[in-house]
PDB file of all heavy atoms in Angstrom:
ATOM      1  N   ILE A  12     -55.161  17.240  44.904  1.00  0.00           N
ATOM      2  CA  ILE A  12     -55.120  15.885  45.389  1.00  0.00           C
ATOM      3  C   ILE A  12     -53.936  15.700  46.364  1.00  0.00           C
ATOM      4  O   ILE A  12     -54.082  15.172  47.435  1.00  0.00           O
ATOM      5  CB  ILE A  12     -55.053  14.886  44.177  1.00  0.00           C
ATOM      6  CG1 ILE A  12     -56.318  14.892  43.467  1.00  0.00           C
ATOM      7  CG2 ILE A  12     -54.740  13.408  44.804  1.00  0.00           C
ATOM      8  CD1 ILE A  12     -56.353  13.949  42.288  1.00  0.00           C
ATOM      9  N   VAL A  16     -53.812  14.643  50.237  1.00  0.00           N
ATOM     10  CA  VAL A  16     -52.914  13.600  50.796  1.00  0.00           C
ATOM     11  C   VAL A  16     -52.084  14.175  51.917  1.00  0.00           C
ATOM     12  O   VAL A  16     -51.946  13.553  53.009  1.00  0.00           O
ATOM     13  CB  VAL A  16     -52.069  12.969  49.725  1.00  0.00           C
ATOM     14  CG1 VAL A  16     -50.968  12.132  50.261  1.00  0.00           C
ATOM     15  CG2 VAL A  16     -52.908  12.212  48.701  1.00  0.00           C
ATOM     16  N   THR A  31     -51.699   4.298  46.784  1.00  0.00           N
ATOM     17  CA  THR A  31     -52.543   4.458  45.654  1.00  0.00           C
ATOM     18  C   THR A  31     -52.503   3.232  44.750  1.00  0.00           C
ATOM     19  O   THR A  31     -51.853   2.270  45.095  1.00  0.00           O
ATOM     20  CB  THR A  31     -52.075   5.697  44.856  1.00  0.00           C
ATOM     21  OG1 THR A  31     -50.680   5.479  44.519  1.00  0.00           O
ATOM     22  CG2 THR A  31     -52.159   6.960  45.677  1.00  0.00           C
ATOM     23  N   ARG A  32     -53.246   3.363  43.678  1.00  0.00           N
ATOM     24  CA  ARG A  32     -53.167   2.290  42.672  1.00  0.00           C
ATOM     25  C   ARG A  32     -53.469   2.847  41.240  1.00  0.00           C
ATOM     26  O   ARG A  32     -54.166   3.838  41.152  1.00  0.00           O
ATOM     27  CB  ARG A  32     -54.160   1.204  43.031  1.00  0.00           C
ATOM     28  CG  ARG A  32     -55.470   1.153  42.378  1.00  0.00           C
ATOM     29  CD  ARG A  32     -56.570   2.004  43.128  1.00  0.00           C
ATOM     30  NE  ARG A  32     -56.565   3.328  42.638  1.00  0.00           N
ATOM     31  CZ  ARG A  32     -57.572   3.878  41.946  1.00  0.00           C
ATOM     32  NH1 ARG A  32     -58.705   3.168  41.839  1.00  0.00           N
ATOM     33  NH2 ARG A  32     -57.479   5.046  41.451  1.00  0.00           N
ATOM     34  N   PHE A  33     -52.904   2.178  40.306  1.00  0.00           N
ATOM     35  CA  PHE A  33     -53.280   2.491  38.903  1.00  0.00           C
ATOM     36  C   PHE A  33     -54.088   1.333  38.432  1.00  0.00           C
ATOM     37  O   PHE A  33     -53.551   0.178  38.327  1.00  0.00           O
ATOM     38  CB  PHE A  33     -52.053   2.718  38.053  1.00  0.00           C
ATOM     39  CG  PHE A  33     -52.405   2.874  36.593  1.00  0.00           C
ATOM     40  CD1 PHE A  33     -53.203   3.919  36.127  1.00  0.00           C
ATOM     41  CD2 PHE A  33     -51.854   1.951  35.638  1.00  0.00           C
ATOM     42  CE1 PHE A  33     -53.540   3.985  34.772  1.00  0.00           C
ATOM     43  CE2 PHE A  33     -52.204   2.075  34.280  1.00  0.00           C
ATOM     44  CZ  PHE A  33     -53.072   3.098  33.886  1.00  0.00           C
ATOM     45  N   PRO A  34     -55.385   1.561  38.085  1.00  0.00           N
ATOM     46  CA  PRO A  34     -56.254   0.372  37.878  1.00  0.00           C
ATOM     47  C   PRO A  34     -56.819   0.248  36.458  1.00  0.00           C
ATOM     48  O   PRO A  34     -57.999   0.419  36.161  1.00  0.00           O
ATOM     49  CB  PRO A  34     -57.443   0.711  38.854  1.00  0.00           C
ATOM     50  CG  PRO A  34     -57.574   2.211  38.693  1.00  0.00           C
ATOM     51  CD  PRO A  34     -56.139   2.779  38.372  1.00  0.00           C
ATOM     52  N   SER A  48     -52.584   9.598  34.607  1.00  0.00           N
ATOM     53  CA  SER A  48     -53.013   8.910  35.849  1.00  0.00           C
ATOM     54  C   SER A  48     -51.844   8.119  36.455  1.00  0.00           C
ATOM     55  O   SER A  48     -51.710   8.042  37.644  1.00  0.00           O
ATOM     56  CB  SER A  48     -54.138   7.943  35.471  1.00  0.00           C
ATOM     57  OG  SER A  48     -54.499   7.151  36.541  1.00  0.00           O
ATOM     58  N   LEU A  51     -49.629  10.415  38.260  1.00  0.00           N
ATOM     59  CA  LEU A  51     -50.263  10.872  39.441  1.00  0.00           C
ATOM     60  C   LEU A  51     -50.164   9.883  40.566  1.00  0.00           C
ATOM     61  O   LEU A  51     -49.711  10.185  41.647  1.00  0.00           O
ATOM     62  CB  LEU A  51     -51.775  11.216  39.084  1.00  0.00           C
ATOM     63  CG  LEU A  51     -52.581  12.293  39.722  1.00  0.00           C
ATOM     64  CD1 LEU A  51     -54.019  11.881  39.999  1.00  0.00           C
ATOM     65  CD2 LEU A  51     -51.971  12.831  41.012  1.00  0.00           C
ATOM     66  N   ASN A  52     -50.615   8.685  40.264  1.00  0.00           N
ATOM     67  CA  ASN A  52     -50.654   7.652  41.313  1.00  0.00           C
ATOM     68  C   ASN A  52     -49.337   7.183  41.749  1.00  0.00           C
ATOM     69  O   ASN A  52     -49.035   7.156  42.924  1.00  0.00           O
ATOM     70  CB  ASN A  52     -51.499   6.475  40.759  1.00  0.00           C
ATOM     71  CG  ASN A  52     -53.003   6.696  40.878  1.00  0.00           C
ATOM     72  OD1 ASN A  52     -53.550   6.743  41.917  1.00  0.00           O
ATOM     73  ND2 ASN A  52     -53.643   6.860  39.672  1.00  0.00           N
ATOM     74  N   PHE A  53     -48.489   6.888  40.777  1.00  0.00           N
ATOM     75  CA  PHE A  53     -47.082   6.409  41.121  1.00  0.00           C
ATOM     76  C   PHE A  53     -46.296   7.582  41.688  1.00  0.00           C
ATOM     77  O   PHE A  53     -45.454   7.444  42.539  1.00  0.00           O
ATOM     78  CB  PHE A  53     -46.425   5.772  39.937  1.00  0.00           C
ATOM     79  CG  PHE A  53     -46.842   4.354  39.726  1.00  0.00           C
ATOM     80  CD1 PHE A  53     -47.858   3.975  38.806  1.00  0.00           C
ATOM     81  CD2 PHE A  53     -46.295   3.322  40.451  1.00  0.00           C
ATOM     82  CE1 PHE A  53     -48.233   2.731  38.570  1.00  0.00           C
ATOM     83  CE2 PHE A  53     -46.657   1.943  40.235  1.00  0.00           C
ATOM     84  CZ  PHE A  53     -47.618   1.697  39.315  1.00  0.00           C
ATOM     85  N   ILE A  55     -47.366  10.249  43.382  1.00  0.00           N
ATOM     86  CA  ILE A  55     -47.665  10.529  44.823  1.00  0.00           C
ATOM     87  C   ILE A  55     -47.039   9.528  45.727  1.00  0.00           C
ATOM     88  O   ILE A  55     -46.480   9.842  46.743  1.00  0.00           O
ATOM     89  CB  ILE A  55     -49.220  10.490  44.981  1.00  0.00           C
ATOM     90  CG1 ILE A  55     -49.823  11.825  44.376  1.00  0.00           C
ATOM     91  CG2 ILE A  55     -49.581  10.371  46.392  1.00  0.00           C
ATOM     92  CD1 ILE A  55     -51.334  11.910  44.400  1.00  0.00           C
ATOM     93  N   TYR A 214     -68.034  -3.085  37.941  1.00  0.00           N
ATOM     94  CA  TYR A 214     -66.965  -2.117  38.438  1.00  0.00           C
ATOM     95  C   TYR A 214     -67.429  -1.570  39.726  1.00  0.00           C
ATOM     96  O   TYR A 214     -66.593  -1.458  40.684  1.00  0.00           O
ATOM     97  CB  TYR A 214     -66.833  -1.007  37.394  1.00  0.00           C
ATOM     98  CG  TYR A 214     -66.099   0.193  37.912  1.00  0.00           C
ATOM     99  CD1 TYR A 214     -64.686   0.231  37.857  1.00  0.00           C
ATOM    100  CD2 TYR A 214     -66.778   1.224  38.554  1.00  0.00           C
ATOM    101  CE1 TYR A 214     -64.034   1.325  38.338  1.00  0.00           C
ATOM    102  CE2 TYR A 214     -66.122   2.289  39.031  1.00  0.00           C
ATOM    103  CZ  TYR A 214     -64.739   2.361  38.958  1.00  0.00           C
ATOM    104  OH  TYR A 214     -64.012   3.448  39.449  1.00  0.00           O
ATOM    105  N   HIS A 218     -64.662  -2.465  42.445  1.00  0.00           N
ATOM    106  CA  HIS A 218     -63.661  -1.478  42.613  1.00  0.00           C
ATOM    107  C   HIS A 218     -63.448  -0.986  44.081  1.00  0.00           C
ATOM    108  O   HIS A 218     -62.292  -1.093  44.565  1.00  0.00           O
ATOM    109  CB  HIS A 218     -63.870  -0.249  41.720  1.00  0.00           C
ATOM    110  CG  HIS A 218     -62.586   0.466  41.414  1.00  0.00           C
ATOM    111  ND1 HIS A 218     -61.773   0.148  40.326  1.00  0.00           N
ATOM    112  CD2 HIS A 218     -61.937   1.446  42.064  1.00  0.00           C
ATOM    113  CE1 HIS A 218     -60.700   0.929  40.369  1.00  0.00           C
ATOM    114  NE2 HIS A 218     -60.723   1.710  41.448  1.00  0.00           N
ATOM    115  N   ASP A 222     -60.054  -1.917  46.353  1.00  0.00           N
ATOM    116  CA  ASP A 222     -59.257  -0.909  47.039  1.00  0.00           C
ATOM    117  C   ASP A 222     -59.189  -1.273  48.545  1.00  0.00           C
ATOM    118  O   ASP A 222     -58.132  -1.129  49.143  1.00  0.00           O
ATOM    119  CB  ASP A 222     -60.016   0.482  46.930  1.00  0.00           C
ATOM    120  CG  ASP A 222     -59.800   1.088  45.518  1.00  0.00           C
ATOM    121  OD1 ASP A 222     -58.854   0.673  44.845  1.00  0.00           O
ATOM    122  OD2 ASP A 222     -60.617   1.990  45.183  1.00  0.00           O
ATOM    123  N   ILE A 227     -55.804   0.461  49.981  1.00  0.00           N
ATOM    124  CA  ILE A 227     -55.694   1.743  49.216  1.00  0.00           C
ATOM    125  C   ILE A 227     -56.230   2.838  50.089  1.00  0.00           C
ATOM    126  O   ILE A 227     -57.373   2.748  50.698  1.00  0.00           O
ATOM    127  CB  ILE A 227     -56.434   1.639  47.881  1.00  0.00           C
ATOM    128  CG1 ILE A 227     -55.844   0.554  47.043  1.00  0.00           C
ATOM    129  CG2 ILE A 227     -56.338   3.027  47.197  1.00  0.00           C
ATOM    130  CD1 ILE A 227     -54.420   0.593  46.761  1.00  0.00           C
ATOM    131  N   THR A 228     -55.467   3.909  50.229  1.00  0.00           N
ATOM    132  CA  THR A 228     -55.920   5.086  51.009  1.00  0.00           C
ATOM    133  C   THR A 228     -56.574   6.108  50.185  1.00  0.00           C
ATOM    134  O   THR A 228     -57.478   6.782  50.688  1.00  0.00           O
ATOM    135  CB  THR A 228     -54.736   5.748  51.792  1.00  0.00           C
ATOM    136  OG1 THR A 228     -53.748   6.164  50.778  1.00  0.00           O
ATOM    137  CG2 THR A 228     -54.029   4.706  52.730  1.00  0.00           C
ATOM    138  N   HIS A 229     -56.111   6.310  48.999  1.00  0.00           N
ATOM    139  CA  HIS A 229     -56.678   7.391  48.141  1.00  0.00           C
ATOM    140  C   HIS A 229     -56.918   6.747  46.800  1.00  0.00           C
ATOM    141  O   HIS A 229     -55.955   6.369  46.101  1.00  0.00           O
ATOM    142  CB  HIS A 229     -55.707   8.572  48.031  1.00  0.00           C
ATOM    143  CG  HIS A 229     -55.430   9.206  49.366  1.00  0.00           C
ATOM    144  ND1 HIS A 229     -56.165  10.294  49.905  1.00  0.00           N
ATOM    145  CD2 HIS A 229     -54.536   8.892  50.386  1.00  0.00           C
ATOM    146  CE1 HIS A 229     -55.706  10.581  51.077  1.00  0.00           C
ATOM    147  NE2 HIS A 229     -54.753   9.743  51.429  1.00  0.00           N
ATOM    148  N   SER A 230     -58.154   6.660  46.361  1.00  0.00           N
ATOM    149  CA  SER A 230     -58.569   5.997  45.114  1.00  0.00           C
ATOM    150  C   SER A 230     -58.868   7.101  44.103  1.00  0.00           C
ATOM    151  O   SER A 230     -59.959   7.722  44.091  1.00  0.00           O
ATOM    152  CB  SER A 230     -59.747   5.131  45.442  1.00  0.00           C
ATOM    153  OG  SER A 230     -60.174   4.442  44.320  1.00  0.00           O
ATOM    154  N   LEU A 231     -57.882   7.281  43.249  1.00  0.00           N
ATOM    155  CA  LEU A 231     -58.004   8.427  42.278  1.00  0.00           C
ATOM    156  C   LEU A 231     -58.614   7.952  41.012  1.00  0.00           C
ATOM    157  O   LEU A 231     -58.255   6.992  40.427  1.00  0.00           O
ATOM    158  CB  LEU A 231     -56.613   9.047  42.053  1.00  0.00           C
ATOM    159  CG  LEU A 231     -55.789   9.278  43.306  1.00  0.00           C
ATOM    160  CD1 LEU A 231     -54.443   9.877  42.918  1.00  0.00           C
ATOM    161  CD2 LEU A 231     -56.553  10.121  44.321  1.00  0.00           C
ATOM    162  N   CYS A 232     -59.649   8.683  40.514  1.00  0.00           N
ATOM    163  CA  CYS A 232     -60.238   8.346  39.298  1.00  0.00           C
ATOM    164  C   CYS A 232     -60.700   9.574  38.528  1.00  0.00           C
ATOM    165  O   CYS A 232     -60.605  10.690  39.014  1.00  0.00           O
ATOM    166  CB  CYS A 232     -61.462   7.420  39.571  1.00  0.00           C
ATOM    167  SG  CYS A 232     -62.739   8.195  40.531  1.00  0.00           S
ATOM    168  N   THR A 233     -61.283   9.409  37.358  1.00  0.00           N
ATOM    169  CA  THR A 233     -61.689  10.533  36.542  1.00  0.00           C
ATOM    170  C   THR A 233     -63.140  11.030  36.930  1.00  0.00           C
ATOM    171  O   THR A 233     -63.908  10.297  37.551  1.00  0.00           O
ATOM    172  CB  THR A 233     -61.557  10.257  35.094  1.00  0.00           C
ATOM    173  OG1 THR A 233     -62.074   9.000  34.820  1.00  0.00           O
ATOM    174  CG2 THR A 233     -60.048  10.272  34.669  1.00  0.00           C
ATOM    175  N   TYR A 243     -69.775   3.935  45.865  1.00  0.00           N
ATOM    176  CA  TYR A 243     -68.514   3.453  46.352  1.00  0.00           C
ATOM    177  C   TYR A 243     -68.580   3.388  47.902  1.00  0.00           C
ATOM    178  O   TYR A 243     -68.169   2.456  48.549  1.00  0.00           O
ATOM    179  CB  TYR A 243     -67.458   4.456  45.863  1.00  0.00           C
ATOM    180  CG  TYR A 243     -65.982   4.078  46.212  1.00  0.00           C
ATOM    181  CD1 TYR A 243     -65.174   3.352  45.334  1.00  0.00           C
ATOM    182  CD2 TYR A 243     -65.416   4.460  47.384  1.00  0.00           C
ATOM    183  CE1 TYR A 243     -63.833   3.125  45.570  1.00  0.00           C
ATOM    184  CE2 TYR A 243     -64.078   4.204  47.711  1.00  0.00           C
ATOM    185  CZ  TYR A 243     -63.335   3.546  46.785  1.00  0.00           C
ATOM    186  OH  TYR A 243     -61.987   3.233  47.047  1.00  0.00           O
ATOM    187  N   SER A 256     -61.071   3.515  51.884  1.00  0.00           N
ATOM    188  CA  SER A 256     -60.298   4.538  51.081  1.00  0.00           C
ATOM    189  C   SER A 256     -61.215   5.615  50.582  1.00  0.00           C
ATOM    190  O   SER A 256     -62.491   5.500  50.608  1.00  0.00           O
ATOM    191  CB  SER A 256     -59.568   3.872  49.949  1.00  0.00           C
ATOM    192  OG  SER A 256     -60.415   3.712  48.879  1.00  0.00           O
ATOM    193  N   GLN A 257     -60.574   6.701  50.176  1.00  0.00           N
ATOM    194  CA  GLN A 257     -61.313   7.876  49.771  1.00  0.00           C
ATOM    195  C   GLN A 257     -61.159   8.025  48.307  1.00  0.00           C
ATOM    196  O   GLN A 257     -60.069   8.126  47.770  1.00  0.00           O
ATOM    197  CB  GLN A 257     -60.692   9.149  50.460  1.00  0.00           C
ATOM    198  CG  GLN A 257     -61.363  10.389  50.127  1.00  0.00           C
ATOM    199  CD  GLN A 257     -60.645  11.633  50.705  1.00  0.00           C
ATOM    200  OE1 GLN A 257     -59.618  11.493  51.390  1.00  0.00           O
ATOM    201  NE2 GLN A 257     -61.251  12.837  50.516  1.00  0.00           N
ATOM    202  N   GLN A 258     -62.296   8.025  47.587  1.00  0.00           N
ATOM    203  CA  GLN A 258     -62.327   8.243  46.151  1.00  0.00           C
ATOM    204  C   GLN A 258     -62.154   9.777  45.835  1.00  0.00           C
ATOM    205  O   GLN A 258     -62.941  10.536  46.359  1.00  0.00           O
ATOM    206  CB  GLN A 258     -63.573   7.749  45.521  1.00  0.00           C
ATOM    207  CG  GLN A 258     -63.647   7.988  44.012  1.00  0.00           C
ATOM    208  CD  GLN A 258     -64.876   7.436  43.277  1.00  0.00           C
ATOM    209  OE1 GLN A 258     -65.096   6.215  43.469  1.00  0.00           O
ATOM    210  NE2 GLN A 258     -65.652   8.256  42.608  1.00  0.00           N
ATOM    211  N   ILE A 259     -61.182  10.158  45.031  1.00  0.00           N
ATOM    212  CA  ILE A 259     -61.058  11.544  44.627  1.00  0.00           C
ATOM    213  C   ILE A 259     -61.003  11.593  43.122  1.00  0.00           C
ATOM    214  O   ILE A 259     -60.279  10.828  42.469  1.00  0.00           O
ATOM    215  CB  ILE A 259     -59.755  12.134  45.233  1.00  0.00           C
ATOM    216  CG1 ILE A 259     -59.698  11.916  46.717  1.00  0.00           C
ATOM    217  CG2 ILE A 259     -59.616  13.619  44.813  1.00  0.00           C
ATOM    218  CD1 ILE A 259     -58.378  12.237  47.302  1.00  0.00           C
ATOM    219  N   GLU A 260     -61.793  12.532  42.502  1.00  0.00           N
ATOM    220  CA  GLU A 260     -61.875  12.564  41.078  1.00  0.00           C
ATOM    221  C   GLU A 260     -61.145  13.809  40.488  1.00  0.00           C
ATOM    222  O   GLU A 260     -61.178  14.817  41.117  1.00  0.00           O
ATOM    223  CB  GLU A 260     -63.376  12.662  40.652  1.00  0.00           C
ATOM    224  CG  GLU A 260     -64.275  11.628  41.265  1.00  0.00           C
ATOM    225  CD  GLU A 260     -64.745  12.047  42.618  1.00  0.00           C
ATOM    226  OE1 GLU A 260     -64.567  13.193  43.043  1.00  0.00           O
ATOM    227  OE2 GLU A 260     -65.415  11.165  43.337  1.00  0.00           O
ATOM    228  N   PHE A 261     -60.525  13.515  39.365  1.00  0.00           N
ATOM    229  CA  PHE A 261     -59.798  14.613  38.636  1.00  0.00           C
ATOM    230  C   PHE A 261     -60.146  14.554  37.166  1.00  0.00           C
ATOM    231  O   PHE A 261     -60.631  13.558  36.651  1.00  0.00           O
ATOM    232  CB  PHE A 261     -58.320  14.521  38.825  1.00  0.00           C
ATOM    233  CG  PHE A 261     -57.661  13.233  38.262  1.00  0.00           C
ATOM    234  CD1 PHE A 261     -57.153  13.288  36.953  1.00  0.00           C
ATOM    235  CD2 PHE A 261     -57.656  12.093  38.965  1.00  0.00           C
ATOM    236  CE1 PHE A 261     -56.622  12.093  36.410  1.00  0.00           C
ATOM    237  CE2 PHE A 261     -57.165  10.907  38.400  1.00  0.00           C
ATOM    238  CZ  PHE A 261     -56.671  10.909  37.184  1.00  0.00           C
TER     239      PHE A 261
END
Side-chain angles (χ1 to χ4, degrees):
Chain A
I12 294 179
V16 171
T31 55
R32 99 270 93 115
F33 171 61
S48 174
L51 213 214
N52 281 291
F53 281 95
I55 284 176
Y214 167 88
H218 206 88
D222 285 343
I227 300 304
T228 59
H229 301 265
S230 181
L231 314 181
C232 63
T233 44
Y243 184 96
S256 81
Q257 180 185 3
Q258 175 177 307
I259 306 170
E260 310 84 9
F261 64 93

